[in-house]
């Protein structure tokens, strides 16, 4: 009998691979009018839309019944003012879908090079990401470019895909085109894929899908720990992390990095703990920003909770609901970090009264 979710894993890695190639190629060619500002003031580029179209098209081919919770939608591309961008996205997506990447010829799963798609098919593929989520059944999450701000700066970003079944993440794949393959040996270059399947561990692959290497979070102590945190101060309360670090006697400065590449770094032993606390503006975390990273950490022997010590709930819809932050770390150090977070929160409450 084949391993559980082996077809899903194969398709997910292939889809992330194609989308990762697309995004890194697009970065070098990106021009100014190829970025839009969304309603929440965040950026979205032709790369985000095209990568979501590619992943969604491949998922439809392999698993036509599965709903998708995707970050982007095509509304802006369906109106006259979006025509130029739409044309570019259709061309990019078709290029990526038909490219020969040596992924095998399993046409049943749509992994090998496919046929060109029409404009309508590409827009519909993007809009298939409109599922509202929920606590039962299968669903995929797509964050075609996580860390769009990092992507635009030429820094870290990640192509993120997960399969959630009955509110449990079962498969997670994260492509990080700009991440060093081996941080100790920068000459090895950049571009990695992290993958995890429930019960089967976490692995790092090259961006070409080769050399699967198992990953376990190594033990750490406050003297070796550094927080992995956002670059963007608007995304998490960085001053809070500083307070927690001082309560724990952490000496190393935080490692700031955009996107779920942070979860990838955590599982391969960089940093030691991921900490993301709300900034207080009422933002709700999105499931596509955490589901793949969450399973990478759990399958590498780590623990992920919110600041109350509760598990994250992926069954509430497109968001994680009320925002109590995210703490991810190896299982030895997680209780220590959680304790310090709760102490820092209690200090804040005390300072307010
Ligand atoms: N106020 C806020 N609080 C927390 N996260 C936010 C936020 N505003 C945007 N984000 C999310 O932060 C993600 C990036 O996380 P990070 O800071 O770890 O790189 C963004 O993903 P996208 O770049 O996919 O839009 C976006 O979904
Ligand atoms: Mg975004
Ligand atoms: Mg994101
Ligand atoms: Mg995104």
């Amino acid at each position: 009998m084949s391993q559980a979710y082996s077809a899903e894993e194969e398709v997910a890695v292939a889809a992330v691979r194609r989308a990762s190639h697309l995004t890194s190629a697009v970065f070098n060619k990106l021009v100014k009018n190829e970025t839009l500002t969304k309603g929440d003031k965040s950026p979205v580029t032709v790369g985000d839309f095209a990568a979501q179209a590619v992943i969604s098209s491949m998922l439809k081919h392999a698993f036509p019944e599965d709903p998708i919770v995707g970050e982007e939608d095509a509304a802006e591309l369906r109106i006259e003012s979006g025509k130029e961008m739409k044309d570019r996205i259709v061309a990019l997506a078709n290029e990526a879908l038909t490219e020969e990447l040596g992924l095998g010829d399993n046409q049943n799963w749509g992994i090998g090079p496919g046929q060109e798609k029409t404009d309508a098919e590409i827009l519909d593929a993007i809009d298939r990401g409109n599922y509202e989520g929920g606590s039962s059944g299968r669903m995929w999450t797509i964050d075609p470019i996580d860390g769009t701000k990092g992507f635009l700066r030429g820094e870290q970003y990640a192509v993120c895909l997960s399969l959630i079944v009955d509110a449990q993440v079962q498969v997670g794949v994260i492509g990080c085109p700009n991440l060093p393959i081996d941080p100790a040996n920068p000459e090895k270059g950049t571009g990695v894929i992290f993958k995890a399947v429930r019960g089967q561990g976490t692995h790092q692959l090259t961006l070409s899908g080769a050399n699967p290497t198992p990953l376990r979070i190594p033990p750490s102590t406050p003297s070796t720990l550094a927080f992995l945190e956002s670059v963007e101060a608007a995304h998490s309360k960085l001053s809070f992390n500083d307070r927690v670090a001082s309560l724990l006697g952490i000496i190393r400065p935080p490692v700031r990095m955009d996107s779920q590449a942070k979860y990838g770094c955590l599982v391969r032993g960089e940093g030691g703990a991921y900490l993301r606390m709300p900034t207080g503006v009422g933002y709700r975390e999105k499931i596509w920003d955490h589901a793949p990273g969450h399973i990478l950490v759990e399958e590498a022997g780590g623990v992920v909770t919110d600041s109350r010590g509760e598990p994250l709930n992926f069954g509430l819809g497109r968001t994680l609901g009320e925002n109590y932050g995210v703490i991810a770390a190896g299982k030895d150090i997680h209780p220590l970090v959680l304790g310090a977070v709760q102490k820092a929160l209690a200090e804040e409450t005390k300072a307010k009264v």
Side-chain angles (χ1 to χ4, degrees):
M1 211 186 90
S2 65
Q3 294 260 48
Y5 297 114
S6 61
E8 287 83 352
E9 176 189 356
E10 190 175 348
V11 172
V13 170
V16 165
R17 239 190 106 190
R18 277 194 191 277
S20 295
H21 277 268
L22 182 158
T23 56
S24 53
V26 113
F27 176 74
N28 299 311
K29 298 182 268 175
L30 206 64
V31 292
K32 215 168 174 182
N33 62 2
E34 291 182 335
T35 302
L36 287 176
T37 303
K38 297 204 277 191
D40 63 0
K41 306 268 190 308
S42 67
V44 58
T45 74
V46 289
D48 300 60
F49 289 116
Q52 181 157 318
V54 166
I55 298 172
S56 167
S57 300
M58 291 176 73
L59 290 179
K60 185 178 181 202
H61 202 289
F63 309 108
E65 305 299 322
D66 286 354
I68 299 172
V69 178
E71 181 185 356
E72 310 303 344
D73 72 74
E76 297 273 344
L77 309 173
R78 291 182 189 277
I79 53 180
E80 190 51 35
S81 61
K83 186 180 178 306
E84 207 179 314
M85 246 183 129
K86 180 204 68 190
D87 290 345
R88 177 91 163 99
I89 289 159
V90 171
L92 285 167
N94 274 327
E95 204 179 303
L97 283 166
T98 55
E99 208 175 356
E100 180 51 77
L101 286 178
L103 288 165
D105 57 0
N106 194 330
Q107 288 301 326
N108 291 335
W109 287 348
I111 289 173
Q115 303 289 318
E116 291 230 338
K117 303 208 177 293
T118 63
D119 291 18
E121 284 170 329
I122 294 292
L123 295 181
D124 288 348
I126 296 170
D127 279 338
R128 279 192 75 226
N130 65 4
Y131 186 58
E132 69 277 12
S135 60
S136 64
R138 284 167 59 107
M139 72 184 87
W140 294 86
T141 68
I142 304 175
D143 190 342
I145 294 184
D146 181 35
T148 305
K149 289 182 177 167
F151 172 72
L152 286 166
R153 282 190 249 103
E155 295 173 7
Q156 293 308 322
Y157 70 95
V159 176
C160 301
L161 179 60
S162 81
L163 173 69
I164 298 176
V165 184
D166 298 337
Q168 298 299 316
V169 190
Q170 296 293 341
V171 180
V173 179
I174 297 184
C176 301
N178 291 344
L179 199 67
I181 292 168
D182 177 357
N185 291 296
E187 71 283 355
K188 286 192 181 164
T190 64
V192 304
I193 292 177
F194 298 99
K195 68 166 183 185
V197 181
R198 180 76 55 201
Q200 297 172 37
T202 300
H203 292 82
Q204 174 174 319
L205 317 170
T206 64
L207 207 50
S208 56
N211 294 337
T213 313
L215 299 172
R216 294 293 293 176
I217 303 179
S220 61
T221 62
S223 61
T224 61
L225 201 69
F227 282 133
L228 288 151
E229 61 186 31
S230 286
V231 174
E232 298 294 331
H235 295 177
S236 83
K237 197 173 174 187
L238 301 173
S239 59
F240 187 90
N241 289 18
D242 292 343
R243 179 63 194 142
V244 178
S246 103
L247 284 170
L248 284 169
I250 291 176
I251 319 147
R252 287 177 61 199
V255 179
R256 291 193 175 155
M257 189 184 290
D258 299 280
S259 85
Q260 288 174 75
K262 288 190 279 299
Y263 284 115
C265 288
L266 174 62
V267 298
R268 65 182 192 181
E270 294 161 48
Y274 170 112
L275 182 55
R276 183 186 193 92
M277 291 297 285
T279 55
V281 295
Y283 179 83
R284 291 184 168 219
E285 293 286 344
K286 307 299 189 288
I287 61 172
W288 55 78
D289 278 328
H290 298 283
H294 183 271
I295 187 168
L296 290 187
V297 174
E298 287 195 332
E299 284 297 318
V303 177
V304 188
T305 68
D306 65 20
S307 62
R308 303 168 302 172
E310 300 287 328
L312 305 186
N313 187 345
F314 292 98
L316 295 175
R318 291 172 67 89
T319 79
L320 289 169
E322 186 76 25
N323 190 351
Y324 296 99
V326 182
I327 306 169
K331 63 173 177 301
D332 53 340
I333 201 83
H334 186 279
L336 242 66
V337 178
L338 175 61
V341 165
Q342 291 180 341
K343 196 164 174 199
L345 283 172
E347 286 176 354
E348 282 188 344
T349 313
K350 213 168 145 198
K352 274 190 206 132
V353 290

